[in-house]
Amino acid sequence: MLLVACLLAYVAYQLLLRPRFNPLLRLAGPNPGGLFKSNLQPVMSPSVSPRAHETYVHHFGRSFRIRGVGPLDERLLTLDPLSVSHVLKNSSLYEKPWQSRALITSMIGCGMLAAEGQVHKRQRRVATPAFSIQNLRKLVPLVFKKGTELKDKWTEMISAEHLEEDGKVIDVCHWISRATFDVIGVAGFDYQFNAIQNETNELFSAYKDMFEVAISQGSEFSTILSIYAPWWFKIFPNNVSRTVDRCQNVIRKVAGELIQDKKRKIEEGQKSGKPYQGRDLLSLLLKSNVAVDLPEDQRISDEDILNNVNTFMFAGSDTSSLTLTWTLWLLAENPQAQDRLRAELLDAFPDQITDVSDLNEDEIQSMNETLSHLPLLHNIIQESVRLVPPVHSSIRVATEDDEIPTMYPVKLADGSTDVKKSVSISKGSFIHVAVEGFNLDKEFWGPDAWEFNPDRWDDLPEAASKLPGLFANTLTFSAGPRSCIGMRFSMIEIKTFLYILLTRFVFKSTEDKIIKSNVVLTRPYIAGKYRDGSQLPLIVSPYIASKH
Ligand code: HEM
Ligand SMILES: *[C@@H]1O[C@H](CO)[C@@H](O)[C@H](O)[C@H]1NC(C)=O
Ligand SMILES: *[C@@H]1O[C@H](CO)[C@@H](O)[C@H](O)[C@H]1NC(C)=O
Ligand SMILES: *[C@@H]1O[C@H](CO)[C@@H](O)[C@H](O)[C@H]1NC(C)=O
Ligand SMILES: *[C@@H]1O[C@H](CO)[C@@H](O)[C@H](O)[C@H]1NC(C)=O
């Protein structure tokens, strides 16, 4: 009896009393408009979020309260640079919530994206050498090869229908995704999906189906169920859980064999004194994991190796392909910028390179140097990832009570302004990291912040140049210890692809209106044709020098 009373008292305290002490309730913030309503849609959906952020900051200041899921879920949304820097740099105090980690883990395993604490530290340490400049060198010829393959494919598609004059409408989103999958397949674990050629490869289909199912099919209810009661689908499998199971079995079988095969090669190399030369991420991970200077307790298991290969597939393919896709769209919408960029690229390599297989190490290196130092190319990529960050926003949970320092005044719900220069947050509260919100903030970037203006980077406003972020003062690759490990990788990939595609093709918009939708990542859809799935058709025609 006493036990039941205690339990009830505890539940009542958790549900009724504790939320009343939640310091976030003191903050100003939008009215959710009902007990079971939420403020998430306006801040999560890229079709409305820029305006929502602006309006909220105007009314409630840069640190405000929003309602998440359900009446007890008050969250902090901060657009204060000092606060977001504090949260992202203090990664042990602000972890990823177990709910999102569970969701990622259920699909790709507990790799670097999902792990926390010591487990994450160990994985990140083992993986870091794989992303060194030295090891990324091999990426240049690989991307060049795949870019050329894609170029040949498109050329073939265009000429098969004699469309050289008018150009052919191509869903660049779909094709670039096939190409970036190919790149991460070879760079990730020395495996040829050959997805540019056809989509029949078993492992390719497994990854593709799994990622697609995860993003498109799960209803909100089944997502919640799979977080809070994952055993449910073990007993009552549905289409989604069946697909994920099937894909995971294929991946475990095929990729598992690859891992064992690599391990053998590395061991043989160590014995024979002729070290194995593989430079793919998997080989480098395995090598770094057996390095003599790595203490025994810092090594990671085969299971963790597989989880991280999955993580690279998941984190490294769609993000890069969407960035490329959005960049081509922006260039199609801004033909002058496209012409200028093409001129810069043609000028950088006057003798069009057609085949990298016969370039030597030095020549490849110098090609990378040249691509790295083209000012307009760099400006356009910075502008593109600022304007359309594939990761729209992220979320953290406070693991302790904390005072988050603020740079801007904090407005309270009663209309007053807090005098202390911080926001109090209690253990367990969520913090929204508005990646896009920061990237598009007019107060920092200027009144044209929502427009495509690559030249802004030649003369950045003081306020923007002080923003935290791993790349170009944007939060596109996040910041701090949990920021993107693949940033340099994707830069090489994006620049090389852009070089190949823009020197061979001209891109024009179609009549379709393109809208952005946040489906795990910010993806393109045609307005009114949401059910046809993510796509971005552009008119692609061969670039003919004399005509332009
Ligand atoms: C344009 C391309 C890319 C963008 C915009 C991007 C963005 C991001 C962002 C925002 C995060 C932090 C996620 C969070 O805090 O919730 C992240 C983490 C990560 N990214 Fe990327 N990424 C890109 C490409 C890549 C590539 C090519 C790879 C690997 C080959 C990669 C691997 C990772 C990994 C492993 C993490 C987790 C790091 C950790 O938690 O320690 N990313 N990325
Ligand atoms: C992490 O949080 C603590 C406690 O609030 C603070 O003293 C420290 O400066 C923070 N570190 C960083 C890097 O922001
Ligand atoms: C390419 O060149 C840039 C600029 O010199 C350099 O920072 C980068 O590390 C190089 N990348 C590779 C893979 O060598
Ligand atoms: C798909 O492409 C691969 C590699 O080019 C080739 O070996 C295979 O025969 C192709 N499969 C089909 C069904 O076309
Ligand atoms: C579930 O899968 C079956 C067979 O794969 C398919 O016929 C059916 O339409 C799917 N149901 C839903 C709701 O997607």
Side-chain angles (χ1 to χ4, degrees):
M1 195 55 210
L2 188 67
L3 203 69
V4 173
C6 281
L7 204 70
L8 277 177
Y10 177 75
V11 169
Y13 165 77
Q14 285 292 340
L15 289 182
L16 300 172
L17 228 48
R18 208 178 74 119
R20 292 186 176 268
F21 298 129
N22 186 346
L24 288 182
L25 285 171
R26 292 180 61 230
L27 292 189
N31 186 342
L35 196 57
F36 289 96
K37 295 276 173 57
S38 153
N39 297 120
L40 289 180
Q41 200 269 339
V43 299
M44 298 283 290
S45 162
S47 55
V48 289
S49 53
R51 182 137 283 134
H53 286 132
E54 189 177 56
T55 312
Y56 290 164
V57 168
H58 178 73
H59 286 292
F60 311 119
R62 292 197 161 273
S63 309
F64 53 90
R65 172 203 52 74
I66 58 167
R67 173 76 62 75
V69 185
L72 303 176
D73 183 11
E74 306 293 342
R75 306 181 178 185
L76 172 69
L77 195 155
T78 172
L79 284 160
D80 186 313
L82 187 60
S83 307
V84 78
S85 172
H86 174 87
V87 169
L88 289 178
K89 288 180 181 159
N90 244 317
S91 59
S92 53
L93 210 48
Y94 296 97
E95 295 190 337
K96 300 186 179 181
W98 70 262
Q99 291 90 338
S100 53
R101 296 169 52 210
L103 207 58
I104 300 173
T105 302
S106 70
M107 188 171 56
I108 56 175
C110 190
M112 233 188 300
L113 205 57
E116 279 290 351
Q118 282 307 313
V119 179
H120 173 264
K121 232 182 224 138
R122 212 157 44 218
Q123 296 189 356
R124 180 115 187 174
R125 180 163 163 196
V126 167
T128 297
F131 289 90
S132 71
I133 290 173
Q134 202 126 52
N135 284 324
L136 288 180
R137 218 162 262 174
K138 272 283 281 251
L139 200 55
V140 181
L142 164 64
V143 181
F144 208 98
K145 188 160 165 287
K146 288 296 175 185
T148 307
E149 212 178 304
L150 181 64
K151 176 212 72 173
D152 291 341
K153 196 82 188 174
W154 283 1
T155 306
E156 194 185 301
M157 284 160 60
I158 293 169
S159 58
E161 295 171 46
H162 304 288
L163 290 171
E164 285 82 357
E165 287 296 314
D166 309 321
K168 180 179 167 60
V169 176
I170 292 179
D171 177 7
V172 297
C173 186
H174 169 80
W175 281 95
I176 289 185
S177 157
R178 285 165 71 163
T180 55
F181 245 96
D182 267 5
V183 169
I184 194 78
V186 181
F189 46 139
D190 196 8
Y191 186 82
Q192 294 285 354
F193 292 127
N194 280 321
I196 298 177
Q197 294 311 324
N198 57 52
E199 299 181 282
T200 55
N201 178 276
E202 182 188 21
L203 190 57
F204 172 78
S205 307
Y207 277 121
K208 196 89 193 160
D209 289 353
M210 185 163 81
F211 298 163
E212 235 149 58
V213 144
I215 63 171
S216 63
Q217 286 198 0
S219 68
E220 222 159 274
F221 178 71
S222 70
T223 307
I224 290 173
L225 203 60
S226 70
I227 293 173
Y228 289 92
W231 44 266
W232 178 270
F233 294 109
K234 297 257 180 295
I235 309 170
F236 306 106
N238 65 354
N239 269 11
V240 174
S241 68
R242 253 184 245 118
T243 309
V244 171
D245 276 353
R246 176 178 58 78
C247 295
Q248 280 174 341
N249 286 337
V250 174
I251 292 168
R252 206 163 283 132
K253 181 174 79 81
V254 183
E257 264 165 35
L258 285 170
I259 292 176
Q260 293 313 320
D261 183 48
K262 288 272 180 217
K263 273 179 84 170
R264 252 193 319 277
K265 284 188 178 144
I266 291 169
E267 264 166 38
E268 277 163 19
Q270 275 177 332
K271 278 197 203 114
S272 68
K274 277 213 314 241
Y276 176 61
Q277 291 296 327
R279 284 248 171 271
D280 55 284
L281 297 177
L282 170 59
S283 299
L284 294 164
L285 224 61
L286 287 167
K287 276 194 238 178
S288 154
N289 201 33
V290 295
V292 280
D293 56 351
L294 190 70
E296 199 63 48
D297 63 347
Q298 294 293 306
R299 299 193 176 164
I300 64 179
S301 65
D302 282 5
E303 180 77 17
D304 275 358
I305 297 264
L306 177 61
N307 293 341
N308 276 305
V309 169
N310 288 347
T311 300
F312 296 149
M313 295 300 306
F314 181 69
S317 60
D318 268 7
T319 46
S320 300
S321 91
L322 284 167
T323 296
L324 268 161
T325 300
W326 286 118
T327 307
L328 290 178
W329 177 71
L330 288 166
L331 291 171
E333 296 276 299
N334 296 273
Q336 273 184 340
Q338 185 179 153
D339 289 345
R340 277 170 63 205
L341 177 56
R342 184 175 297 106
E344 182 183 79
L345 293 171
L346 287 169
D347 211 38
F349 306 97
D351 318 310
Q352 267 204 4
I353 309 157
T354 46
D355 187 4
V356 272
S357 52
D358 45 44
L359 294 185
N360 64 34
E361 185 82 4
D362 284 348
E363 286 166 320
I364 287 169
Q365 207 47 40
S366 98
M367 200 176 103
N368 167 61
E369 289 289 321
T370 311
L371 276 178
S372 303
H373 291 121
L374 295 177
L376 186 59
L377 178 63
H378 197 61
N379 281 357
I380 282 177
I381 291 170
Q382 294 186 104
E383 185 65 350
S384 166
V385 301
R386 181 188 72 83
L387 211 50
V388 197
V391 179
H392 179 268
S393 42
S394 193
I395 191 167
R396 295 291 185 272
V397 60
T399 58
E400 298 292 338
D401 293 352
D402 189 27
E403 287 292 321
I404 303 178
T406 58
M407 215 158 101
Y408 290 81
V410 177
K411 292 193 187 173
L412 300 179
D414 61 14
S416 65
T417 301
D418 207 345
V419 285
K420 67 176 170 92
K421 289 206 152 254
S422 65
V423 172
S424 313
I425 192 136
S426 54
K427 180 176 170 174
S429 289
F430 287 165
I431 296 132
H432 265 250
V433 180
V435 171
E436 186 219 48
F438 272 98
N439 287 2
L440 297 186
D441 201 310
K442 290 179 180 168
E443 208 170 315
F444 303 132
W445 299 93
D448 66 348
W450 297 1
E451 280 144 46
F452 179 76
N453 172 15
D455 297 326
R456 81 171 71 246
W457 294 92
D458 291 334
D459 187 17
L460 215 54
E462 173 98 13
S465 62
K466 282 193 187 138
L467 291 175
L470 180 66
F471 179 72
N473 306 106
T474 67
L475 281 186
T476 301
F477 295 92
S478 191
R482 299 303 301 261
S483 62
C484 181
I485 200 174
M487 190 267 283
R488 267 201 301 243
F489 183 111
S490 59
M491 276 306 131
I492 295 175
E493 183 171 17
I494 290 164
K495 287 187 171 177
T496 311
F497 267 116
L498 280 180
Y499 166 69
I500 293 172
L501 296 178
L502 282 168
T503 51
R504 269 66 166 203
F505 301 108
V506 178
F507 297 88
K508 291 202 196 79
S509 305
T510 64
E511 299 283 296
D512 296 314
K513 183 175 183 307
I514 302 297
I515 52 167
K516 305 182 185 104
S517 183
N518 182 2
V519 189
V520 183
L521 299 172
T522 298
R523 300 170 195 273
Y525 290 81
I526 297 178
K529 292 193 186 166
Y530 194 78
R531 298 177 128 239
D532 292 356
S534 176
Q535 55 177 322
L536 202 154
L538 290 179
I539 304 167
V540 184
S541 49
Y543 168 71
I544 300 155
S546 60
K547 253 180 66 184
H548 291 265

